[in-house]
Amino acid sequence: MREILDDLEKWRSAGKEIVIARVVDLEGSGPREPGASMAVNEDGEVAGSVSGGCVEGAVVSEALQIMESKDRRIVTFGYSDDEAFAVGLTCGGTIHLFLEPLDW
Amino acid sequence: MFESFLKLLKEEIPFALVTIVEGPSKGAKLLVQSLDKPLEGTLGNEELDRVASRDALGELAAGRSGVRHYGLHGEAREEAIQVFIESFAPPPQMFIFGAVDFTGALVKVAKVLGYRVTVCDAREIFATKKRFPQADEVVADWPNRLIDKVGHFLNAQDAICILTHDNKFDVPAVLASLKTKVGYIGVMGSRRTHEDRLARLKENGVSEQEITRLRSPIGMDLGARTPEETAISVVSEIIALRTKRPMHALKDTVGPIHG
């Protein structure tokens, strides 16, 4: 989270709502290690990243939903034959992200 | 809790943040620093806090982040609760000795990789913050004196790059570096300087075993020419050494260093 601190502080002091997504686990080949993080604010602005750009778009829409629902959850992105059209990692791995509002 | 979290990060104090990611009280958090520091926050159960904080300290010591499962009261081999333990260890350190042409470029590249960078040169007019604005610290001192002072804080994740390529400075700096547990000791110089340096180090009682710790001449065999390319060749070597991938290091090749 170190790399997104500046943005988090800036957004917080501007009173923006923020959702943070953190990589908590990965299976197979994944571009970022557990702890990689990304934040989205209520204006849809983004800081940081959780993959090599493969799933960031999908993370933004999940994050905006969570901003509405105020819940927190694990979101998994992977690629397998039965979900050929789902959002996945081009490297073939699966990543588990934890998304939650910055309300703590 | 975010305020405490920010403060620990900024002060570069090692700590772990434990978050319940699956199970009841999802999102509950615990900040763990060390055994003698009080925990901040709670996962909702005293016993669970105790078990999770113990595991968090283990992960922190190893510099790892990852998930763990417990029962509702911290029981092992149960899966009611999944936590994510995120370790925040202070950034790795790089000490660059010698305020030369290559130094500025190496500072920049090391900063990109997240190092806390210190530049040191005995010559006060060269060792200035103005010349290396991106360095976290610029010290005017003899390299070996500084290493003797800070060496016991260095470990496998840290790096020493000796760019002085002047035997007056680099031989004492190498001798001091070899006494530390630092993970990377790179020493710049032409192949001739390198041979000359090896002879001087041996005169000073350095063993063959110790010499294998040195990355000299420093860097990967990229045929680097500019200071920036050389900086990339140095950090590439540091990465490949950590990941234990095969590489063409200048240390293991012959022939001209620059492409």
Side-chain angles (χ1 to χ4, degrees), chain B residues 102-173:
Chain B
F102 295 96
T103 310
L106 185 54
V107 171
K108 272 187 232 164
V109 175
K111 288 308 294 176
V112 169
L113 292 183
Y115 281 91
R116 190 181 184 285
V117 182
T118 303
V119 173
C120 171
D121 194 301
R123 303 165 300 174
E124 266 172 42
I125 48 163
F126 291 112
T128 64
K129 185 79 182 149
K130 205 171 167 195
R131 291 191 68 209
F132 307 105
Q134 283 180 298
D136 295 282
E137 210 178 335
V138 181
V139 181
D141 200 348
W142 280 67
N144 51 312
R145 278 223 306 242
L146 182 64
I147 300 171
D148 285 340
K149 217 181 294 172
V150 301
H152 53 283
F153 294 115
L154 300 177
N155 59 46
Q157 62 168 354
D158 302 315
I160 291 179
C161 299
I162 301 167
L163 310 186
T164 43
H165 51 315
D166 175 339
N167 282 321
K168 183 159 83 255
F169 294 105
D170 65 16
V171 169

Side-chain angles (χ1 to χ4, degrees), chain A residues 2 9 12 22 100 104, chain B residues 3 10 19 29 86 89:
Chain A
R2 207 186 293 275
E9 284 196 277
R12 254 165 63 92
R22 285 184 282 165
E100 63 175 345
W104 41 280
Chain B
E3 295 301 331
K10 286 192 179 162
T19 308
K29 287 183 175 61
E86 185 170 3

Side-chain angles (χ1 to χ4, degrees), chain A residues 1-2 5 8-9 12 20 22-25 34-37 72-74 98 100-104, chain B residues 1-3 5-6 9-10 17 19-22 26-27 29 65-67 82 84 86 88-89 91:
Chain A
M1 227 177 298
R2 207 186 293 275
L5 273 193
L8 289 182
E9 284 196 277
R12 254 165 63 92
I20 297 178
R22 285 184 282 165
V23 176
V24 298
D25 206 1
S37 61
R72 16 184 42 103
R73 61 172 177 261
I74 289 184
F98 183 65
E100 63 175 345
L102 179 54
D103 57 1
W104 41 280
Chain B
M1 183 187 283
F2 191 72
E3 295 301 331
F5 171 82
L6 272 184
L9 262 187
K10 286 192 179 162
L17 174 67
T19 308
I20 297 187
V21 296
E22 207 64 87
K26 215 188 276 184
K29 287 183 175 61
S65 297
V67 291
Q82 186 182 353
F84 175 54
E86 185 170 3
F88 294 90

Side-chain angles (χ1 to χ4, degrees), chain B residues 191 216-217 219-221 247-257:
Chain B
R191 298 217 180 263
S216 171
M220 297 265 269
D221 193 0
M247 59 170 149
H248 286 286
L250 283 168
K251 175 183 192 293
D252 308 317
T253 57
V254 291
I257 288 178

